Amino acid sequence: MKIAPFRLRLTFAAMAAVMLASGAAGLPARADTPIATAAPHERLLPLQGGRNFRDLGGYRTADGRHVKWGLLFRSGSMHGLTDSDYAYLERRGIRVVCDFRDTRERASEPVNWPAAGAPHVLSADYRLDMAGFMPAGPMKDWTAESARAAMAASYPHMLVQFHDQYRRMFDELLAGHAPLAFNCSAGKDRTGVAAALLLTALGVPRATVVEDYLLTNRYLNARTLLAKDSKATAGSIGQMPSPVMQALLNADRSYIEAALKVLDSHRGARAAGSATKWDCRTQTSPACAAPISNDAYPSPTSGKGQNLAGSFEKRTRTRRSGGVRRCGPPPCLSRRCRKPR
């Protein structure tokens, strides 16, 4: 499958400068290690109306560092957040929310952030075609196996369909707009792929990336969610055989592995633990390939934004024109790359 040139071609060093920390505070990079962590850090945020709202911090990378807590959050719909939830998230300093839901999903479950301290919300108007996630043929012939196969086949397509939204998420991070949260409706499929892209880019081993994806089965009760959605229950989903419905609603490792397999097949995909290296001499950073909003995105807590480029800021120059910020030379922040414009 040919995908748009996303290929995880990131300035990894710039992201790692702030998002990764040294030491043993993270989770060991082993598949048999429990994912949940003890206080004071919590994987699942203590929200009254949260839906699969999780912190991506604490994961160990292949080089022994770990993802910092409190910078990256993944979630389902934020429609159920309460006033106390909004206050809690404001204290967390979330500056940007990338909402991957389609136009109808956002209209049916709007999120009303308080004016004070509200994050900058990024979304796109489109219509999600659920048929792409379903087995072929009449519903009476569907089985759990055909449902899982359909779901696994849909995940590589998400790399294409949501390429622009995923790229914009990375652009925000590379521009220093963090803490950042991203979500879809359940926090499983579109969000699961986004989380896998981020963790892979940061050097988190593949086994840990998959285990994070599977945590949705622990933190999201899809059946309870459907019970609250009368339209979904009355529609085709409510008429499905239970094993088929379970296969569609659950997180299965074959789904996310199908997307990761596509990444591995493309040059520039930096699979954690792989000998494949990103060739910064032949590829351009996406931060330099597309305009980035020049909004300040002030942090509700400090009044200043975090600069993800960290110490790498001195190695880049910016030029401003018409309210748009673009990277100056060199487009890659790697010490090994000094590619001119």
Side-chain angles (χ1 to χ4, degrees), residues 86-105:
Y86 286 126
Y88 174 85
L89 294 174
E90 181 181 352
R91 292 194 298 271
R92 287 288 189 128
I94 294 177
R95 304 170 64 206
V96 179
V97 172
C98 296
D99 190 341
F100 300 139
R101 296 178 300 162
D102 76 359
T103 308
R104 294 173 301 170
E105 290 172 306

Side-chain angles (χ1 to χ4, degrees), residues 133-294:
F133 296 85
M134 305 296 180
M139 187 184 299
K140 65 181 179 62
D141 296 333
W142 291 0
T143 64
E145 290 73 19
S146 65
R148 281 191 290 269
M151 287 295 296
S154 73
Y155 267 56
H157 291 287
M158 281 191 272
L159 294 171
V160 179
Q161 183 176 3
F162 301 104
H163 163 269
D164 291 342
Q165 295 192 62
Y166 291 152
R167 179 171 184 146
R168 182 166 58 178
M169 175 184 69
F170 276 102
D171 283 344
E172 290 296 317
L173 293 171
L174 290 169
H177 302 157
L180 176 144
F182 53 96
N183 72 281
C184 55
S185 285
K188 175 176 78 81
D189 301 316
R190 290 161 287 183
T191 294
V193 172
L197 291 173
L198 280 171
L199 293 176
T200 299
L202 291 171
V204 174
R206 177 61 47 82
T208 307
V209 172
V210 173
E211 288 300 318
D212 175 78
Y213 171 77
L214 294 176
L215 280 180
T216 285
N217 294 330
R218 180 189 305 179
Y219 294 130
L220 178 70
N221 189 327
R223 289 185 175 275
T224 301
L225 196 62
L226 281 179
K228 296 179 180 178
D229 188 343
S230 57
K231 291 183 179 180
T233 304
S236 60
I237 294 180
Q239 310 304 315
M240 291 179 187
S242 180
V244 173
M245 185 185 303
Q246 181 128 4
L248 295 174
L249 297 178
N250 282 359
D252 188 280
R253 68 172 54 247
S254 66
Y255 305 164
I256 195 63
E257 286 175 346
L260 294 170
K261 183 178 180 179
V262 174
L263 292 181
D264 291 344
S265 68
H266 283 264
R267 187 181 69 167
R270 181 176 175 174
S274 169
T276 303
K277 299 295 183 181
W278 174 56
D279 188 354
C280 60
R281 294 168 296 180
T282 60
Q283 299 189 35
T284 304
S285 162
C288 301
I292 301 175
S293 171
N294 196 32

